[in-house]
Amino acid sequence: MTTTDFNPTIAVIGAGGKMGTRVSDNLAKTDHTVFYSENSPVGQDRVRAAGRDLTETAEAIADADIVVLAVPDLALGPVTAQIVPQLKAGAIVLTLDPAAAYAGLLTTRDDVIQAVAHPCHPSIFLQRTTPEEYADTFGGIAAPQDAIAAIESDDPEKKAIVEATVRAIYAPVVDVHWVTIKQLAQLEPTLVETIACMIGALLKEALDEAVNTMGVPEPAARSILLGHTQVALANGLRGDNPFSDACLIAMDYGKESIIKDDWKKVFRDDELDKNLAKMLHLDKIER
């Protein structure tokens, strides 16, 4: 079975939230049978404003082949406790972030399949050709992106349902890469939030320091930083051009001055557990 010869019934829980709206906007463009559920009055107004009908959660999930949980991580525990007992046998619960699933916070059933999918977002190296693609830095609108998915099932039909849903909610999607839930947690948050997003924030702090402390004109500092960030990524990640000898010396100085020698510990299981515990506020959750 391929993703093109099956049309699963999809329920979106949290359809009026930030991610729920993105997901719903894309699903509304497909031929899938989709039910939209939202508890928040503000979110309900947002769903109606988009021209979509609201369905009570129990009704929305009754015949769903796959339930997309577009709710915050901290809500996934109570939400799955509510809906999983009501699902039909063989249904799939799809979360959009691996943290809660990996941490074991979700209510599960032996006959309900757990899956996770997360967008890669459009690559910095994507060959964009239209203004809409250039404007879409997050993905899910015009710029193509990949997605990462995990499923706790060996059933090819269930995997096809997840892939069809992933390609719909994150469209336009080039490739869906399959990993385990643990591997997905190692990628998100460790690789992309703990490291990549932290470096992005560090670049902003460095820009502010150059402008506010050193007195460099902001347009000049921003221009050289943005251009050199692209060169640094192209050289470092793709090997497009070699760094100069002087640049390599400066890079070594930067490592010695900024990076801790043991930084790779963030990839260890125990460090991932500590990171997720902070992110999910596990000390405040009764389990």
Side-chain angles (χ1 to χ4, degrees), residues 23-171:
V23 164
S24 299
D25 285 346
N26 279 342
L27 286 173
K29 301 173 185 176
T30 71
D31 294 328
H32 294 295
T33 299
V34 185
F35 296 96
Y36 305 99
S37 173
E38 172 61 56
N39 287 334
S40 162
V42 173
Q44 290 174 350
D45 290 342
R46 195 175 292 122
V47 174
R48 294 190 187 99
R52 291 187 276 271
D53 294 329
L54 283 164
T55 303
E56 291 294 329
T57 298
E59 182 181 351
I61 66 177
D63 294 315
D65 298 299
I66 183 165
V67 178
V68 179
L69 298 183
V71 301
D73 283 344
L74 297 180
L76 285 171
V79 168
T80 55
Q82 174 194 354
I83 70 166
V84 168
Q86 302 179 57
L87 297 177
K88 68 180 183 181
I92 302 166
V93 172
L94 178 67
T95 58
L96 306 183
D97 189 281
Y102 177 71
L105 299 183
L106 308 185
T107 295
T108 60
R109 256 173 55 193
D110 290 342
D111 59 350
V112 169
I113 296 159
Q114 183 171 290
V116 185
H118 197 77
C120 290
H121 305 301
S123 169
I124 188 68
F125 302 122
L126 175 67
Q127 294 183 346
R128 293 171 166 86
T129 58
T130 68
E132 291 77 15
E133 288 179 354
Y134 277 103
D136 183 18
T137 57
F138 188 88
I141 299 175
Q145 64 177 331
D146 287 354
I148 308 289
I151 183 172
E152 293 192 337
S153 172
D154 296 324
D155 186 336
E157 179 179 321
K158 302 303 182 184
K159 187 175 182 179
I161 292 173
V162 172
E163 179 159 347
T165 304
V166 169
R167 288 186 174 277
I169 65 177
Y170 297 141

Side-chain angles (χ1 to χ4, degrees), residues 4 46 49 81 107 149-150 157 165 181 214 223 234 236 242 250-251 253 271 273 280 284-286:
T4 59
R46 195 175 292 122
T107 295
E157 179 179 321
T165 304
I181 289 178
M214 305 306 298
S223 183
M251 290 164 61
Y253 171 72
E271 292 294 325
D273 291 344
L280 298 171
K284 300 178 182 178
I285 298 177
E286 295 183 5

